[in-house]
């Protein structure tokens, strides 16, 4: 069981950067694979990035690879998403998600716990 709270969203101009944080409540954070998803206006929720339990394995959507970096600090029960070179198409509500199984996936339905989301708006 884990509770997730995202923070760090906001309004930025194209080319700018943001770092999102996801704080987890609970004592079993290191047993969860973690993911970031986003939902643009009028579209379905989509995978952004995933990270393994220890942080050594990561995966990214093609649309963000090279621009976004996912990381985690298990001592602080926190996962991060560093977003650089932001584009207007990155505008979305960003969600942190936790999966109780070893392997992360790109399917939202495979994740067990979700944060409330944080809005990221990128202006042109």
């Amino acid at each position: 069981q884990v509770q997730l709270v995202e923070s760090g969203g906001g309004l930025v101009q194209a080319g700018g950067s943001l770092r999102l944080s996801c704080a987890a409540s609970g004592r079993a954070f290191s047993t969860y694979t973690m993911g970031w998803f986003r939902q643009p206006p009028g579209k379905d929720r989509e995978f952004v990035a995933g990270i393994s339990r220890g942080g050594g394995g990561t995966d990214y959507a093609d649309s963000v690879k090279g621009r976004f970096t996912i990381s985690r600090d298990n001592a602080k029960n926190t996962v991060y998403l560093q977003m650089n070179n932001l584009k207007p198409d990155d505008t979305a509500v960003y969600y942190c998600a936790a999966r109780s199984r070893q392997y992360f996936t790109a399917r939202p339905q495979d994740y067990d716990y979700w944060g409330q989301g944080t809005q990221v708006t990128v202006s042109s």
Side-chain angles (χ1 to χ4, degrees):
Q1 188 74 30
V2 61
Q3 295 176 331
L4 307 173
V5 180
E6 303 97 333
S7 62
L11 174 65
V12 297
Q13 296 186 57
S17 298
L18 284 173
R19 189 175 79 155
L20 305 183
S21 298
C22 174
S25 298
R27 299 180 180 179
F29 179 71
S30 63
T31 69
Y32 292 90
T33 59
M34 302 295 296
W36 285 98
F37 292 77
R38 67 187 184 187
Q39 188 163 16
K43 298 182 179 180
D44 294 333
R45 191 168 299 186
E46 64 183 20
F47 173 76
V48 176
I51 190 165
S52 61
R53 294 175 178 179
T58 58
D59 191 30
Y60 298 91
D62 289 342
S63 59
V64 306
K65 191 171 185 178
R67 299 188 298 120
F68 291 10
T69 302
I70 187 171
S71 62
R72 68 191 295 165
D73 187 340
N74 287 344
K76 297 182 178 180
N77 282 16
T78 303
V79 63
Y80 305 95
L81 185 68
Q82 178 67 48
M83 305 185 295
N84 297 327
N85 298 318
L86 284 161
K87 304 175 180 180
D89 284 348
D90 295 320
T91 295
V93 177
Y94 282 71
Y95 296 91
C96 177
R99 173 174 164 83
S100 60
R101 295 176 184 263
Q102 180 178 356
Y103 304 107
F104 51 77
T105 80
R107 290 158 46 93
Q109 60 265 46
D110 290 337
Y111 287 78
D112 303 302
Y113 306 102
W114 294 85
Q116 81 285 357
T118 185
Q119 177 71 49
V120 172
T121 302
V122 184
S123 61
S124 60

